Structure formats: structure tokens, C-alpha cells
Amino acid sequence: MNVQPTDKRRTALITGAGSGIGAATARRMAAEGYRVFLTGRRVDRIESVARQIIADGGLAEARFIDVTDERSVAAVVDDLDRCDVLVNNAGGAIGTESVADANSADWRTMYETNVLGTLHVTRELLPKLAASGDGTVVVVSSTAAFTVYEGGGGYSAAKHGEHVLAATLRLELCGEPIRVIEIAPGMVHTEEFSLNRYRGDREKAAAVYAGVEGPLVADDIADAIAWAVTRPSNVNIDFLVIKPRAQAAQHKVYRRG
Ligand code: 8X3
């Protein structure tokens, strides 16, 4: 859908932009003056966020992308006249089973969305990011990209993989006009992250944040992404870990009561 005619403004493409951190990042980047391409599988959602951005005076377009499907990625990227910033946000967690009880299909899905999804979109956009003369790749990973915890094996494995992708890419692009920024959020209360992890069980999803004073919200991460991206182009924020004050570590969360 073309919700607004394109222009030659600096362009940011955001994956998983229909809700949570992706939607908040699209809003922030539009507020920074970028034309934003919101991509995702749920077209109604990305179109709705795009409309809100336009109503607020920004430039936004919505495009279907399933990051696990290379053809759907290529179709959108081929059509793009320019790209200055890519925010790899699509991904997520499914299940909390131990390794002993792990479901291979869930692990595969987590690897495909978090790691291969980031690979597909990044690889496809690299020529356009380089052509911009000042490109930025943002990878939204997680504190699970460098920590493990019981029941988090599949998600941590995928996020560790995404971290490796980002770190390898930074080495390989050294000398090219492209920065690689990894943002690693801890506990962020979004409408869907824990709900997806607990397969739609609202009670279990809500318990993740129970009693926690001030878990982060999507806009806290979007704010950090926009800050990192808008540093002078010689400044690369390699790796930024962001947790709420109440979360000193994955296992150390202060809860009231
Ligand atoms: C989300 C952080 O603690 O659920 O990426 O692994 S955690």
C-alpha cells in the first residue's frame, strides 16, 4: 500500500513494525524526519501505524514482508528507491520449555524469525545501504543474546545467533559506509512479547511484569534506537544493553510485595 507519495527523504525500513518496539521505532524515526517503511506480516496493523504517522505529519508507507521468506523480502527491497537505515526488529520468543522438553518446531521458528529473518533483510538491503553513502543497520537483540536462563534455551540460542550475525557483519563491513548497531533490551512490557511466549495465556504473560516497578516500554527502546542512529556517522554505538532499574540481571528482578 502506498499511503503517501514517496520523496527523496532519508529512508528507514523497520521490520515487525505493526506493534511494540517496531511500531514505536517507526514513530520515532518519522519524528526524526525519516520517511519510514513499516514492514510486517499483518498488513492491517502496519497500515494503521502508517496512517497514524501520516496524521502526525510524517511520511510513512506500509509493505508486507515475512522476514522468513526471502522472496517477500526481495520484492519490497527491489521496489525501494533508497534506504539509509534498516531496523531489524522482527522476532520473538515461543515457549518456556526446558531443553529436555523442547519443541523442535518452536526452536526452528525462533531461529528462522530472529536469525534468518535478520539475515534475509540485511543481506538484501546492504547494496542500498552502501549506496546511501551513510547507512545504518540496527539489530534489536535482547539481554538473552548474552545470558542464558532455564526455559529460555531456544530463544537465547536464537538471540545469541543474532548477536553473532551483528558482530560478524560489523567486522566484514569495516571500511564501508555502514554502521552496525546492536540494541539489547531486557524486560520490556509490550502487548505481545510475553503473550506470544506463553502461547496466548494472558495470566502467565501478565505475571512476567507483576510487581515490577517501571518495566521498560516500547518507546524506551525506540528512543535509544533513534538516539543511536542519529549520532554523527563516524560514531558507532556497537552494543547497547537497556534494562529497567528493577532488573539488575535476568534472574535478579525486584518485585513489590
Ligand atoms: C526479552 C528479554 O528476559 O525475556 O528479550 O529474555 S528476556
Side-chain angles (χ1 to χ4, degrees):
M1 179 189 73
N2 248 344
V3 284
Q4 180 116 340
T6 58
D7 74 0
K8 292 291 172 200
R9 238 192 258 194
R10 282 176 307 158
T11 298
L13 186 144
I14 297 124
T15 67
S19 69
I21 293 171
T25 301
R27 288 192 195 98
R28 282 272 178 171
M29 294 300 286
E32 291 289 344
Y34 284 80
R35 175 179 58 144
V36 292
F37 273 78
L38 297 100
T39 71
R41 286 179 302 183
R42 293 170 303 177
V43 174
D44 55 332
R45 289 223 178 201
I46 52 176
E47 285 184 347
S48 154
V49 181
R51 276 195 205 95
Q52 291 162 17
I53 290 171
I54 291 165
D56 290 341
L59 273 179
E61 301 190 23
R63 295 277 190 282
F64 171 85
I65 280 185
D66 173 354
V67 295
T68 66
D69 173 9
E70 294 174 67
R71 279 174 307 179
S72 89
V73 173
V76 171
V77 172
D78 285 353
D79 242 20
L80 212 55
D81 55 349
R82 67 180 283 179
C83 188
D84 304 80
V85 176
L86 160 63
V87 181
N88 287 294
N89 164 71
I94 311 170
T96 54
E97 290 78 13
S98 64
V99 172
D101 291 326
N103 177 320
S104 309
D106 290 340
W107 280 53
R108 193 171 295 117
T109 299
M110 287 188 275
Y111 192 83
E112 284 182 352
T113 52
N114 292 284
V115 186
L116 295 182
T118 297
L119 170 67
H120 294 154
V121 185
T122 303
R123 189 181 57 200
E124 200 67 31
L125 268 171
L126 279 179
K128 282 181 175 149
L129 289 162
S132 78
D134 182 14
T136 302
V137 176
V138 178
V139 173
V140 181
S141 64
S142 166
T143 46
F146 58 88
T147 317
V148 297
Y149 52 95
E150 301 93 327
Y155 180 61
S156 280
K159 286 299 187 185
H160 275 66
E162 205 176 345
H163 168 73
V164 168
L165 187 161
T168 307
L169 184 66
R170 192 179 302 112
L171 292 174
E172 291 170 352
L173 291 179
C174 189
E176 300 279 336
I178 305 178
R179 297 180 295 178
V180 180
I181 296 171
E182 180 178 354
I183 306 281
M187 183 183 280
V188 185
H189 194 170
T190 61
E191 67 188 283
E192 291 187 308
F193 178 82
S194 292
L195 202 56
N196 288 338
R197 168 167 257 183
Y198 286 101
R199 309 176 198 282
D201 186 325
R202 294 200 170 271
E203 223 168 285
K204 284 185 180 163
V208 171
Y209 313 102
V212 177
E213 246 174 72
L216 299 180
V217 295
D219 200 48
D220 293 318
I221 307 305
D223 180 37
I225 292 171
W227 172 79
V229 167
T230 54
R231 293 313 85 210
S233 55
N234 64 312
V235 177
N236 197 122
I237 308 298
D238 279 20
F239 187 55
L240 191 59
V241 179
I242 312 171
K243 297 191 267 85
R245 188 178 56 193
Q247 185 183 33
Q250 211 94 354
H251 284 91
K252 181 79 179 171
V253 177
Y254 177 74
R255 294 177 197 270
R256 278 188 317 263

Short mmCIF file of all heavy atoms in Angstrom, two decimals, residues 74-125:
data_model
loop_
_atom_site.label_atom_id
_atom_site.label_comp_id
_atom_site.label_asym_id
_atom_site.label_seq_id
_atom_site.Cartn_x
_atom_site.Cartn_y
_atom_site.Cartn_z
N ALA A 74 12.78 -9.68 -0.98
CA ALA A 74 13.35 -9.15 -2.24
C ALA A 74 12.34 -8.28 -2.97
O ALA A 74 12.70 -7.24 -3.54
CB ALA A 74 13.81 -10.31 -3.11
N ALA A 75 11.07 -8.68 -2.95
CA ALA A 75 10.05 -7.92 -3.68
C ALA A 75 9.97 -6.49 -3.15
O ALA A 75 9.86 -5.54 -3.94
CB ALA A 75 8.69 -8.61 -3.54
N VAL A 76 10.05 -6.32 -1.85
CA VAL A 76 9.95 -4.98 -1.27
C VAL A 76 11.25 -4.20 -1.50
O VAL A 76 11.23 -3.03 -1.91
CB VAL A 76 9.63 -5.06 0.24
CG1 VAL A 76 9.75 -3.70 0.91
CG2 VAL A 76 8.23 -5.64 0.43
N VAL A 77 12.36 -4.86 -1.29
CA VAL A 77 13.65 -4.16 -1.41
C VAL A 77 13.88 -3.72 -2.86
O VAL A 77 14.37 -2.61 -3.10
CB VAL A 77 14.80 -5.05 -0.88
CG1 VAL A 77 16.16 -4.43 -1.18
CG2 VAL A 77 14.64 -5.27 0.62
N ASP A 78 13.54 -4.56 -3.82
CA ASP A 78 13.70 -4.20 -5.24
C ASP A 78 12.98 -2.90 -5.56
O ASP A 78 13.42 -2.12 -6.40
CB ASP A 78 13.14 -5.31 -6.14
CG ASP A 78 14.08 -6.51 -6.17
OD1 ASP A 78 15.20 -6.40 -5.62
OD2 ASP A 78 13.69 -7.55 -6.73
N ASP A 79 11.86 -2.70 -4.92
CA ASP A 79 11.00 -1.55 -5.18
C ASP A 79 11.45 -0.27 -4.50
O ASP A 79 10.94 0.81 -4.79
CB ASP A 79 9.62 -1.89 -4.58
CG ASP A 79 8.56 -1.92 -5.65
OD1 ASP A 79 8.94 -2.06 -6.82
OD2 ASP A 79 7.36 -1.79 -5.31
N LEU A 80 12.40 -0.42 -3.58
CA LEU A 80 12.78 0.72 -2.74
C LEU A 80 13.78 1.60 -3.47
O LEU A 80 14.81 1.12 -3.92
CB LEU A 80 13.42 0.13 -1.46
CG LEU A 80 13.28 0.86 -0.15
CD1 LEU A 80 11.82 1.11 0.19
CD2 LEU A 80 13.93 0.00 0.95
N ASP A 81 13.50 2.92 -3.56
CA ASP A 81 14.42 3.79 -4.28
C ASP A 81 15.68 4.08 -3.47
O ASP A 81 16.74 4.33 -4.03
CB ASP A 81 13.71 5.10 -4.70
CG ASP A 81 13.07 5.82 -3.52
OD1 ASP A 81 12.98 5.23 -2.42
OD2 ASP A 81 12.65 6.98 -3.69
N ARG A 82 15.57 4.07 -2.14
CA ARG A 82 16.76 4.27 -1.32
C ARG A 82 16.52 3.70 0.08
O ARG A 82 15.37 3.51 0.49
CB ARG A 82 17.15 5.74 -1.22
CG ARG A 82 16.16 6.60 -0.47
CD ARG A 82 16.60 8.05 -0.40
NE ARG A 82 17.65 8.28 0.58
CZ ARG A 82 18.22 9.46 0.80
NH1 ARG A 82 17.86 10.51 0.07
NH2 ARG A 82 19.15 9.62 1.72
N CYS A 83 17.58 3.43 0.78
CA CYS A 83 17.45 3.04 2.19
C CYS A 83 18.70 3.48 2.95
O CYS A 83 19.81 3.17 2.55
CB CYS A 83 17.24 1.53 2.35
SG CYS A 83 16.85 1.09 4.07
N ASP A 84 18.46 4.25 4.00
CA ASP A 84 19.57 4.75 4.83
C ASP A 84 19.70 3.99 6.14
O ASP A 84 20.80 3.87 6.67
CB ASP A 84 19.33 6.24 5.14
CG ASP A 84 19.16 7.05 3.87
OD1 ASP A 84 18.06 7.04 3.28
OD2 ASP A 84 20.14 7.69 3.43
N VAL A 85 18.57 3.53 6.65
CA VAL A 85 18.57 2.86 7.95
C VAL A 85 17.68 1.62 7.87
O VAL A 85 16.56 1.69 7.37
CB VAL A 85 18.03 3.79 9.06
CG1 VAL A 85 17.94 3.04 10.40
CG2 VAL A 85 18.89 5.03 9.21
N LEU A 86 18.21 0.52 8.36
CA LEU A 86 17.40 -0.70 8.50
C LEU A 86 17.32 -1.03 9.98
O LEU A 86 18.36 -1.11 10.65
CB LEU A 86 18.06 -1.87 7.75
CG LEU A 86 17.61 -3.27 8.18
CD1 LEU A 86 16.12 -3.50 7.91
CD2 LEU A 86 18.46 -4.34 7.47
N VAL A 87 16.12 -1.23 10.49
CA VAL A 87 15.96 -1.67 11.88
C VAL A 87 15.38 -3.08 11.86
O VAL A 87 14.23 -3.30 11.51
CB VAL A 87 15.04 -0.71 12.69
CG1 VAL A 87 14.92 -1.22 14.14
CG2 VAL A 87 15.57 0.71 12.66
N ASN A 88 16.23 -4.04 12.21
CA ASN A 88 15.80 -5.44 12.29
C ASN A 88 15.17 -5.68 13.65
O ASN A 88 15.87 -5.88 14.64
CB ASN A 88 17.02 -6.37 12.14
CG ASN A 88 17.54 -6.42 10.73
OD1 ASN A 88 16.87 -6.91 9.83
ND2 ASN A 88 18.75 -5.90 10.53
N ASN A 89 13.86 -5.62 13.67
CA ASN A 89 13.16 -5.77 14.95
C ASN A 89 12.32 -7.03 15.00
O ASN A 89 12.06 -7.55 16.08
CB ASN A 89 12.28 -4.52 15.16
CG ASN A 89 11.23 -4.75 16.22
OD1 ASN A 89 11.54 -4.83 17.40
ND2 ASN A 89 9.99 -4.92 15.80
N ALA A 90 11.91 -7.56 13.84
CA ALA A 90 11.03 -8.74 13.84
C ALA A 90 11.70 -9.90 14.57
O ALA A 90 12.91 -10.10 14.46
CB ALA A 90 10.70 -9.14 12.41
N GLY A 91 10.92 -10.64 15.31
CA GLY A 91 11.47 -11.79 16.04
C GLY A 91 10.59 -12.08 17.23
O GLY A 91 9.42 -11.70 17.24
N GLY A 92 11.15 -12.75 18.22
CA GLY A 92 10.37 -13.03 19.41
C GLY A 92 10.62 -14.41 19.96
O GLY A 92 11.46 -15.17 19.44
N ALA A 93 9.91 -14.71 21.04
CA ALA A 93 10.10 -15.96 21.78
C ALA A 93 8.84 -16.81 21.72
O ALA A 93 7.74 -16.27 21.73
CB ALA A 93 10.44 -15.65 23.23
N ILE A 94 9.02 -18.10 21.67
CA ILE A 94 7.88 -19.03 21.76
C ILE A 94 8.23 -20.10 22.79
O ILE A 94 9.21 -20.82 22.63
CB ILE A 94 7.60 -19.74 20.43
CG1 ILE A 94 7.54 -18.77 19.27
CG2 ILE A 94 6.29 -20.54 20.52
CD1 ILE A 94 7.50 -19.46 17.91
N GLY A 95 7.41 -20.18 23.83
CA GLY A 95 7.55 -21.27 24.79
C GLY A 95 8.59 -21.03 25.87
O GLY A 95 9.48 -20.18 25.73
N THR A 96 8.44 -21.78 26.96
CA THR A 96 9.38 -21.69 28.09
C THR A 96 9.81 -23.09 28.52
O THR A 96 10.21 -23.30 29.66
CB THR A 96 8.72 -20.98 29.30
OG1 THR A 96 7.48 -21.65 29.59
CG2 THR A 96 8.45 -19.51 29.01
N GLU A 97 9.71 -24.05 27.59
CA GLU A 97 10.06 -25.42 27.94
C GLU A 97 11.57 -25.56 28.17
O GLU A 97 12.38 -24.84 27.58
CB GLU A 97 9.65 -26.39 26.81
CG GLU A 97 8.15 -26.59 26.64
CD GLU A 97 7.48 -25.44 25.90
OE1 GLU A 97 8.19 -24.59 25.30
OE2 GLU A 97 6.23 -25.37 25.94
N SER A 98 11.89 -26.53 29.01
CA SER A 98 13.30 -26.85 29.24
C SER A 98 13.86 -27.52 27.98
O SER A 98 13.11 -27.93 27.09
CB SER A 98 13.43 -27.81 30.42
OG SER A 98 12.79 -29.04 30.07
N VAL A 99 15.16 -27.65 27.94
CA VAL A 99 15.79 -28.36 26.81
C VAL A 99 15.26 -29.79 26.72
O VAL A 99 14.97 -30.30 25.63
CB VAL A 99 17.33 -28.34 26.96
CG1 VAL A 99 17.99 -29.23 25.91
CG2 VAL A 99 17.87 -26.91 26.85
N ALA A 100 15.06 -30.41 27.89
CA ALA A 100 14.56 -31.79 27.90
C ALA A 100 13.20 -31.91 27.22
O ALA A 100 12.89 -32.95 26.61
CB ALA A 100 14.48 -32.30 29.34
N ASP A 101 12.40 -30.84 27.33
CA ASP A 101 11.04 -30.89 26.76
C ASP A 101 10.91 -30.01 25.52
O ASP A 101 9.79 -29.68 25.10
CB ASP A 101 10.03 -30.41 27.81
CG ASP A 101 9.89 -31.40 28.95
OD1 ASP A 101 10.01 -32.61 28.68
OD2 ASP A 101 9.71 -30.95 30.10
N ALA A 102 12.03 -29.61 24.94
CA ALA A 102 11.98 -28.63 23.85
C ALA A 102 11.20 -29.14 22.65
O ALA A 102 11.25 -30.32 22.29
CB ALA A 102 13.40 -28.27 23.43
N ASN A 103 10.49 -28.20 22.04
CA ASN A 103 9.74 -28.48 20.82
C ASN A 103 10.59 -27.98 19.64
O ASN A 103 10.83 -26.79 19.50
CB ASN A 103 8.41 -27.71 20.92
CG ASN A 103 7.56 -27.86 19.69
OD1 ASN A 103 8.05 -27.84 18.57
ND2 ASN A 103 6.27 -27.99 19.90
N SER A 104 11.03 -28.91 18.79
CA SER A 104 11.95 -28.54 17.70
C SER A 104 11.34 -27.50 16.77
O SER A 104 12.04 -26.62 16.28
CB SER A 104 12.31 -29.77 16.86
OG SER A 104 12.74 -30.80 17.67
N ALA A 105 10.03 -27.61 16.54
CA ALA A 105 9.39 -26.66 15.62
C ALA A 105 9.48 -25.24 16.18
O ALA A 105 9.72 -24.28 15.43
CB ALA A 105 7.93 -27.06 15.38
N ASP A 106 9.30 -25.08 17.48
CA ASP A 106 9.40 -23.74 18.08
C ASP A 106 10.83 -23.20 17.97
O ASP A 106 11.04 -22.03 17.66
CB ASP A 106 9.00 -23.78 19.56
CG ASP A 106 7.51 -24.02 19.74
OD1 ASP A 106 6.75 -23.78 18.79
OD2 ASP A 106 7.12 -24.45 20.84
N TRP A 107 11.79 -24.06 18.25
CA TRP A 107 13.20 -23.62 18.15
C TRP A 107 13.51 -23.19 16.71
O TRP A 107 14.20 -22.20 16.46
CB TRP A 107 14.16 -24.76 18.58
CG TRP A 107 14.29 -24.90 20.07
CD1 TRP A 107 13.27 -25.03 20.97
CD2 TRP A 107 15.51 -24.93 20.83
NE1 TRP A 107 13.78 -25.15 22.24
CE2 TRP A 107 15.15 -25.10 22.19
CE3 TRP A 107 16.86 -24.85 20.51
CZ2 TRP A 107 16.10 -25.17 23.21
CZ3 TRP A 107 17.80 -24.93 21.53
CH2 TRP A 107 17.42 -25.08 22.87
N ARG A 108 12.99 -23.99 15.77
CA ARG A 108 13.24 -23.67 14.35
C ARG A 108 12.62 -22.32 14.00
O ARG A 108 13.24 -21.48 13.35
CB ARG A 108 12.66 -24.79 13.47
CG ARG A 108 13.12 -24.72 12.03
CD ARG A 108 12.71 -25.96 11.26
NE ARG A 108 13.34 -27.16 11.73
CZ ARG A 108 12.71 -28.23 12.27
NH1 ARG A 108 11.39 -28.23 12.36
NH2 ARG A 108 13.37 -29.27 12.67
N THR A 109 11.38 -22.11 14.45
CA THR A 109 10.70 -20.84 14.16
C THR A 109 11.47 -19.67 14.76
O THR A 109 11.65 -18.63 14.12
CB THR A 109 9.26 -20.86 14.72
OG1 THR A 109 8.55 -21.92 14.10
CG2 THR A 109 8.54 -19.55 14.46
N MET A 110 11.94 -19.85 15.99
CA MET A 110 12.70 -18.75 16.63
C MET A 110 13.99 -18.47 15.86
O MET A 110 14.38 -17.32 15.69
CB MET A 110 12.97 -19.08 18.10
CG MET A 110 11.72 -18.95 18.96
SD MET A 110 12.05 -19.09 20.72
CE MET A 110 12.04 -20.86 20.95
N TYR A 111 14.66 -19.52 15.41
CA TYR A 111 15.89 -19.32 14.63
C TYR A 111 15.56 -18.62 13.30
O TYR A 111 16.24 -17.69 12.88
CB TYR A 111 16.60 -20.66 14.38
CG TYR A 111 18.00 -20.45 13.84
CD1 TYR A 111 19.07 -20.19 14.69
CD2 TYR A 111 18.24 -20.47 12.46
CE1 TYR A 111 20.35 -19.96 14.20
CE2 TYR A 111 19.51 -20.24 11.96
CZ TYR A 111 20.56 -19.98 12.83
OH TYR A 111 21.82 -19.74 12.33
N GLU A 112 14.48 -19.09 12.69
CA GLU A 112 14.14 -18.52 11.37
C GLU A 112 13.73 -17.06 11.47
O GLU A 112 14.10 -16.25 10.62
CB GLU A 112 13.04 -19.35 10.72
CG GLU A 112 13.60 -20.66 10.18
CD GLU A 112 12.59 -21.52 9.47
OE1 GLU A 112 11.39 -21.20 9.52
OE2 GLU A 112 13.01 -22.53 8.89
N THR A 113 12.94 -16.70 12.48
CA THR A 113 12.49 -15.30 12.56
C THR A 113 13.61 -14.39 13.06
O THR A 113 13.88 -13.35 12.44
CB THR A 113 11.25 -15.16 13.48
OG1 THR A 113 11.55 -15.76 14.73
CG2 THR A 113 10.04 -15.81 12.88
N ASN A 114 14.27 -14.78 14.14
CA ASN A 114 15.26 -13.88 14.75
C ASN A 114 16.57 -13.82 13.95
O ASN A 114 17.13 -12.74 13.75
CB ASN A 114 15.56 -14.31 16.19
CG ASN A 114 14.38 -14.10 17.12
OD1 ASN A 114 14.08 -12.99 17.52
ND2 ASN A 114 13.67 -15.17 17.46
N VAL A 115 17.06 -14.98 13.53
CA VAL A 115 18.40 -15.00 12.90
C VAL A 115 18.28 -14.91 11.37
O VAL A 115 18.81 -13.99 10.75
CB VAL A 115 19.19 -16.27 13.29
CG1 VAL A 115 20.62 -16.19 12.74
CG2 VAL A 115 19.22 -16.44 14.79
N LEU A 116 17.58 -15.87 10.77
CA LEU A 116 17.50 -15.86 9.30
C LEU A 116 16.70 -14.65 8.81
O LEU A 116 17.01 -14.09 7.75
CB LEU A 116 16.88 -17.16 8.79
CG LEU A 116 17.73 -18.41 9.05
CD1 LEU A 116 17.07 -19.65 8.46
CD2 LEU A 116 19.13 -18.26 8.48
N GLY A 117 15.69 -14.24 9.57
CA GLY A 117 14.93 -13.04 9.19
C GLY A 117 15.85 -11.83 9.11
O GLY A 117 15.83 -11.07 8.14
N THR A 118 16.68 -11.67 10.13
CA THR A 118 17.64 -10.55 10.14
C THR A 118 18.63 -10.70 8.98
O THR A 118 18.96 -9.72 8.30
CB THR A 118 18.37 -10.50 11.50
OG1 THR A 118 17.39 -10.24 12.52
CG2 THR A 118 19.44 -9.44 11.54
N LEU A 119 19.07 -11.92 8.75
CA LEU A 119 19.99 -12.16 7.62
C LEU A 119 19.34 -11.77 6.29
O LEU A 119 19.94 -11.04 5.48
CB LEU A 119 20.39 -13.64 7.58
CG LEU A 119 21.16 -14.07 6.32
CD1 LEU A 119 22.53 -13.40 6.27
CD2 LEU A 119 21.31 -15.59 6.26
N HIS A 120 18.12 -12.24 6.06
CA HIS A 120 17.48 -12.01 4.75
C HIS A 120 17.33 -10.52 4.45
O HIS A 120 17.67 -10.06 3.35
CB HIS A 120 16.07 -12.65 4.73
CG HIS A 120 16.10 -14.14 4.82
ND1 HIS A 120 15.05 -14.88 5.32
CD2 HIS A 120 17.05 -15.04 4.49
CE1 HIS A 120 15.35 -16.16 5.30
NE2 HIS A 120 16.56 -16.29 4.79
N VAL A 121 16.81 -9.78 5.42
CA VAL A 121 16.53 -8.37 5.15
C VAL A 121 17.84 -7.58 5.05
O VAL A 121 18.02 -6.75 4.16
CB VAL A 121 15.60 -7.76 6.24
CG1 VAL A 121 15.23 -6.33 5.88
CG2 VAL A 121 14.35 -8.61 6.40
N THR A 122 18.78 -7.90 5.94
CA THR A 122 20.05 -7.17 5.93
C THR A 122 20.81 -7.43 4.63
O THR A 122 21.27 -6.48 3.96
CB THR A 122 20.91 -7.60 7.14
OG1 THR A 122 20.16 -7.37 8.33
CG2 THR A 122 22.21 -6.82 7.19
N ARG A 123 20.95 -8.69 4.26
CA ARG A 123 21.71 -9.05 3.04
C ARG A 123 21.10 -8.37 1.82
O ARG A 123 21.82 -7.82 0.98
CB ARG A 123 21.69 -10.57 2.89
CG ARG A 123 22.60 -11.11 1.82
CD ARG A 123 22.49 -12.62 1.74
NE ARG A 123 21.12 -13.03 1.48
CZ ARG A 123 20.64 -14.25 1.72
NH1 ARG A 123 21.41 -15.19 2.23
NH2 ARG A 123 19.39 -14.53 1.45
N GLU A 124 19.79 -8.37 1.75
CA GLU A 124 19.11 -7.79 0.59
C GLU A 124 19.29 -6.28 0.53
O GLU A 124 19.39 -5.70 -0.56
CB GLU A 124 17.62 -8.16 0.67
CG GLU A 124 16.86 -8.08 -0.61
CD GLU A 124 17.29 -9.11 -1.65
OE1 GLU A 124 17.72 -10.22 -1.26
OE2 GLU A 124 17.19 -8.78 -2.85
N LEU A 125 19.35 -5.64 1.70
CA LEU A 125 19.41 -4.17 1.71
C LEU A 125 20.83 -3.61 1.69
O LEU A 125 21.01 -2.41 1.46
CB LEU A 125 18.68 -3.63 2.95
CG LEU A 125 17.20 -3.31 2.75
CD1 LEU A 125 16.54 -2.99 4.08
CD2 LEU A 125 17.00 -2.14 1.77
#
